């Protein structure tokens, strides 16, 4: 659910500030957090740890830019779940193809989770067709980037601790900064948005640390499903903070999401 809260704050920031500025400063916030945590969390620094982390950072940077772009132009309660569906499907397929074999209850939880995300993706809002199509395309591209991020972090050495996340943040900040230079986009945040932007980055990094520890100990095809259920918290925040409506179908989807978590956790 921390991912969902981070995405909510990131979506708020992009509605009031420049997308690339939000990405860079949120990522800097995450970099500062992971740099502080390195002294307290166990892990072995190695070239492989940093390289896999940097590769995941490139994929994550693509994902976060497309995601924040989608949030800035579309309906949050459509973009977040659609992104989650794609980011779930990519690592689940990778895990199954590479030989992971979850238990029957866990597989039932995976299927229920996919169904849950499909339900919460149905929005009661009806934006213009062109705008909605563009938002969904951004969300699908974002989900593919996040899925790659999850896979590449999983491939880092198991004894690396959180060092891959340091490499990921260095790579993502560098890539987005270069993108801003090439496209001549300003990285100066709009006044009043820096606090919520940094908060999004801190929460995102905290969620990444928890994901990495889980992925180092469990099956990717299960961990990815649990991580990708985060839109439930994004939807609830969008409902009670922004006043976005939730349909009965979406509420049902949140219930199925909780059921999916229970099935996977019990396996």
């Amino acid at each position: 659910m921390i991912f969902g809260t981070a995405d909510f704050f990131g979506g708020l920031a992009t509605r009031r500030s420049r997308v690339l500025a939000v990405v860079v400063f949120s990522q800097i916030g995450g970099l500062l957090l992971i740099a502080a945590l390195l002294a307290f969390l166990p892990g072995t620094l190695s070239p492989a740890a940093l390289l896999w982390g940097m590769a995941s950072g490139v994929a994550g940077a693509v994902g976060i830019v497309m995601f924040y772009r989608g949030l800035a132009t579309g309906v949050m309660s459509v973009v977040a779940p659609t992104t989650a569906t794609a980011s779930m499907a990519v690592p689940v397929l990778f895990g199954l193809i590479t030989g992971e074999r979850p238990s029957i209850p866990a597989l039932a939880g995976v299927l229920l989770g996919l169904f849950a995300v499909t339900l919460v993706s149905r929005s009661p809002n009806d934006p213009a067709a062109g705008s909605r199509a563009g938002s969904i395309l951004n969300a699908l591209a974002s989900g593919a980037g996040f899925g790659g991020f999850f896979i590449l972090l999983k491939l880092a050495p198991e004894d690396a601790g959180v060092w891959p996340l340091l490499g990921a943040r260095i790579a993502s900040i560098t890539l987005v900064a270069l993108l801003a230079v090439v496209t001549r986009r300003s990285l100066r945040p709009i006044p009043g948005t820096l606090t919520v932007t940094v908060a999004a980055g801190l929460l995102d990094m905290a969620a990444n640390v928890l994901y990495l520890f889980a992925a180092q100990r469990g099956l990717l095809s299960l961990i990815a499903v649990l991580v990708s259920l985060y839109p439930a918290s994004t939807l609830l925040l969008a409902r009670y903070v922004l006043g976005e409506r939730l349909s009965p179908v979406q509420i049902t989807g949140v219930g199925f999401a909780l059921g999916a978590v229970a099935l996977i956790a019990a396996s």
Side-chain angles (χ1 to χ4, degrees), residues 97-170:
I97 290 171
T98 54
E100 292 186 357
R101 294 297 179 264
S103 65
I104 297 300
L107 282 175
V110 170
L111 294 175
L112 188 59
L114 289 168
F115 184 57
V117 175
T118 301
L119 290 181
V120 296
S121 299
R122 295 180 176 274
S123 174
N125 302 285
D126 189 22
S131 173
R132 181 165 184 167
S135 296
I136 290 176
L137 287 176
N138 284 332
L140 290 174
S142 173
F146 288 145
F149 174 81
F150 293 142
I151 291 171
L152 292 166
L153 274 185
K154 171 69 173 177
L155 295 176
E158 292 186 3
D159 64 348
V162 296
W163 282 104
L165 291 175
L166 179 67
R169 278 299 172 265
I170 292 172

Side-chain angles (χ1 to χ4, degrees), residues 178-262:
L178 287 175
L179 178 62
V181 171
V182 171
T183 59
R184 298 183 179 180
R185 303 285 184 86
S186 174
L187 291 177
R188 181 178 300 175
I190 300 299
T193 63
L194 187 58
T195 299
V196 69
T197 297
V198 173
L202 293 173
L203 289 168
D204 179 66
M205 179 54 73
N208 285 330
V209 170
L210 295 174
Y211 163 77
L212 183 57
F213 284 149
Q216 289 170 345
R217 294 164 175 79
L219 298 180
L220 179 64
S221 53
L222 300 184
I223 302 300
V225 174
L226 293 174
V227 169
S228 298
L229 295 175
Y230 69 83
S233 58
T234 307
L235 286 177
L236 293 175
L237 287 169
R239 168 65 181 88
Y240 291 107
V241 177
L242 301 181
E244 292 187 4
R245 294 175 52 205
L246 295 182
S247 68
V249 172
Q250 287 179 306
I251 295 172
T252 302
V254 172
F256 280 134
L258 295 175
V261 172

